[in-house]
Amino acid sequence: MREEVKIKILQSLLNEVTKKYDYFIANRERVYKETYEMAVKDSLTGLYNRQYFEDFVVKSIKKGLRENRDFSVIFIDLDNFKPINDNYGHAKGDEVLKKVAELFKQTFRDYDIIARIGGDEFVVVIENLSNKDRIEEVRKVFEEAFKDFNLSFSYGVVNLKEIEPESLNEEEILNFMLILADRRMYEEKMERKRWRK
């Protein structure tokens, strides 16, 4: 066999091996990405799930305490969501939750962490929240988008710097932040109900 023919055969074999290797790597990366997405995302809304949120906040607490940086957790609970399930069925409720998730993605910043932690409960981790104007703007857009369902939300905010961390580890600080934000959300919800009467 002539040398030129041998070289062409070897090049052809090499190209075939390279194609199969590229396919294998791309397929492995796709499976890895899909597995990761399933582990950290809520299957209905595509937002982050509670586990990812908790892991992220624990790391943020460590970094915040080390670098003296603050961040806020916003606890959001939808108002008047139950009648949607009761009157239109759970499929419609799921559809509304997906639209809520999309609206939150569009109205909060790209780098804010938004998670669904329960049926109609959401949390947002946000840096540099100097006042509540941004949340009020989100609520205004939200109420306009869902006015046909009379849907709104109540929220409570807690900042890392409000917590006295001396005797608490990161997980305990996270739990305390969630309890405090939830309590403030509930107080706001009750206040809004009184205001509407």
Side-chain angles (χ1 to χ4, degrees):
M1 187 180 292
R2 294 175 52 187
E3 283 303 311
E4 291 175 1
V5 174
K6 287 181 181 177
I7 289 171
K8 283 187 177 179
I9 291 172
L10 284 173
Q11 283 178 335
S12 177
L13 282 172
L14 184 59
N15 288 340
E16 198 59 35
V17 169
T18 301
K19 281 182 190 172
K20 289 194 175 186
Y21 178 77
D22 290 344
Y23 172 79
F24 172 77
I25 294 297
N27 195 43
R28 191 176 71 171
E29 287 175 357
R30 182 185 56 77
V31 169
Y32 175 78
K33 186 177 177 184
E34 287 174 358
T35 304
Y36 177 77
E37 292 284 314
M38 286 171 61
V40 301
K41 297 281 181 81
D42 172 55
S43 60
L44 177 65
T45 63
L47 296 175
Y48 289 110
N49 61 25
R50 187 181 190 109
Q51 185 62 54
Y52 180 87
F53 160 76
E54 291 180 352
D55 290 345
F56 181 85
V57 172
V58 165
K59 288 176 186 169
S60 297
I61 290 168
K62 288 179 184 175
K63 186 176 179 182
L65 295 177
R66 189 178 60 242
E67 299 176 1
N68 195 29
R69 296 175 61 174
D70 195 20
F71 68 90
S72 303
V73 171
I74 307 168
F75 193 108
I76 295 173
D77 185 78
L78 301 186
D79 298 334
N80 305 319
F81 178 72
K82 188 175 181 303
I84 298 174
N85 277 336
D86 292 345
N87 298 328
Y88 301 98
H90 288 273
K92 187 66 177 180
D94 288 350
E95 183 185 316
V96 169
L97 286 174
K98 288 178 188 176
K99 289 181 179 174
V100 166
E102 282 305 310
L103 188 138
F104 283 158
K105 285 181 195 174
Q106 291 167 9
T107 50
F108 286 104
R109 299 171 300 194
D110 288 345
Y111 48 89
D112 296 331
I113 298 297
I114 309 167
R116 178 177 176 231
I117 61 169
D120 63 346
E121 295 176 336
F122 301 84
V123 285
V124 183
V125 183
I126 192 166
E127 289 188 17
N128 303 319
L129 183 67
S130 56
N131 58 54
K132 294 178 181 175
D133 288 351
R134 184 182 307 158
I135 309 170
E136 291 297 333
E137 288 170 14
V138 171
R139 182 153 60 187
K140 189 175 176 183
V141 172
F142 186 98
E143 288 176 346
E144 179 62 27
F146 295 102
K147 64 183 177 187
D148 290 346
F149 296 109
N150 192 30
L151 194 62
S152 184
F153 65 78
S154 299
Y155 66 88
V157 181
V158 62
N159 304 313
L160 176 61
K161 289 198 171 177
E162 291 182 78
I163 312 299
E164 299 291 335
E166 286 77 20
S167 61
L168 302 175
N169 63 36
E170 289 83 9
E171 284 80 14
E172 290 168 332
I173 292 171
L174 163 67
N175 289 334
F176 191 73
M177 290 180 81
L178 272 177
I179 290 169
L180 192 54
D182 183 34
R183 185 185 307 153
R184 289 175 177 170
M185 179 281 300
Y186 181 76
E187 289 169 357
E188 199 220 21
K189 189 183 285 280
M190 292 301 103
E191 182 65 27
R192 282 160 57 83
K193 281 186 179 177
R194 278 193 293 273
W195 182 75
R196 285 175 179 159
K197 286 182 180 176

